[in-house]
Amino acid sequence: MKAPHLLFSILAIGMLQTSCNSNSRHDDMPKTNTPISSENQNFYVDTLHTGLNNPWGMVWLPDGRMLVTERKGELLVFENEQDTGTKISGFPETYERGQGGLMDIQLHPNYTENGWIYATYAKPGQGGGSTALIRFKLGNNEITDLETLYQTMPLSTSGVHFGSRIIFDKAGYLYFSTGERGTKGNAQNLANDLGKIHRLHADGRIPGDNPFVNTSGAKPSIWSYGHRNVQGMVYDGSNDLIYATEHGPRGGDELNIIEKGKNYGWPIITYGIDYSGAIISELTGKPGMEQPIHYWTPSIATCGLLYYTGDRYAGWQGNLFAGALALTHVARIEISNGKYTHEEKLLEGIGRVRHIAQSPDGFIYILTEGPGMLLKLMPLE
């Protein structure tokens, strides 16, 4: 692995050299000028764009265009790996406060037939804001047919722990995550939506086999609970597993397998302490509460998660890739039969890694903030 300061210096020099190119990659846009060696795959880093403002999510349309969300509520359009300068118009007003704003974006699995795009964002309302799930269509770079499928309750003026990621499973169910908004007890309270992962039909209806549909007072959309702030979630279709990464406090970031009706313990059990140094709980385990398959102490500040299924990087097939905001790297995680077996740090010092995604043609793209960059990993052939 190339030393963190050297890798960052190479990228920074390249960015300065191309700053006159409207912050988009041209034929001379820099790569690391020597390959980066990792345990199972050597690769280059291709800097596609700089100057992003708190990027959060990305998705590819069938026509090859790429949409990138920025937390302030912007939806950017890239084509041929360059920023077109076009922004999708018509996105609703966001509750841009602290960590809140426009977050994840995903296509319906049958997008080519129905044209639905899904997003989560902090929606304002009387009493503050909360994480909401919407879907919409595109026409001439403008949002049409906008529908709010779910707004989590209660609203809060807190600026922390909105979540949020969106996935679909092979049966077509939609899952989205929401944080507990800084109020620890919300995560254990089935009567509110906060600190949960929710499961819906693609049109927002509640599935009849959700675990708490018949529980008095419980929100019927809840699939799992006891979460602090899930900002990474991915579906492994080959094994029908949902993986999620969750922010701990000081220590105790978690990698979990998400299962129906399970309680993931926050704040009753935790491997972390409060930011002040105070003890949150003396317990790291309790009957009826799930253990993470891995946890990080100190916290890496997990955000964004990829389960790699492509064939561009032969050594990485079936690996998880988790972003690290605080420790500024990508964690490559090997798993076997749903168990954590090994981890490697990639791109140490690259910046706050917000999201990692796989393009339709099997390449890995990374969004960072501070600096705000769109990167592509190019395998050494």
Side-chain angles (χ1 to χ4, degrees), residues 13-68:
I13 290 168
M15 286 186 288
L16 288 172
Q17 289 173 339
T18 58
S19 61
C20 61
N21 289 334
S22 301
N23 289 335
S24 291
R25 182 178 67 90
H26 291 256
D27 291 340
D28 59 349
M29 194 70 172
K31 294 180 182 178
T32 47
N33 50 15
T34 56
I36 296 170
S37 297
S38 71
E39 292 173 1
N40 297 335
Q41 178 73 57
N42 297 335
F43 61 96
Y44 295 94
V45 177
D46 195 351
T47 306
L48 303 179
H49 189 73
T50 65
L52 292 170
N53 186 353
N54 297 116
W56 233 97
M58 53 184 152
V59 74
W60 287 263
L61 299 174
D63 63 9
R65 289 180 299 161
M66 179 189 192
L67 304 180
V68 174

Side-chain angles (χ1 to χ4, degrees), residues 194-210:
L194 310 181
K196 315 296 193 301
I197 292 174
H198 300 268
R199 177 181 182 247
L200 303 171
H201 288 292
D203 61 3
R205 291 177 295 117
I206 306 294
D209 61 346
N210 271 8

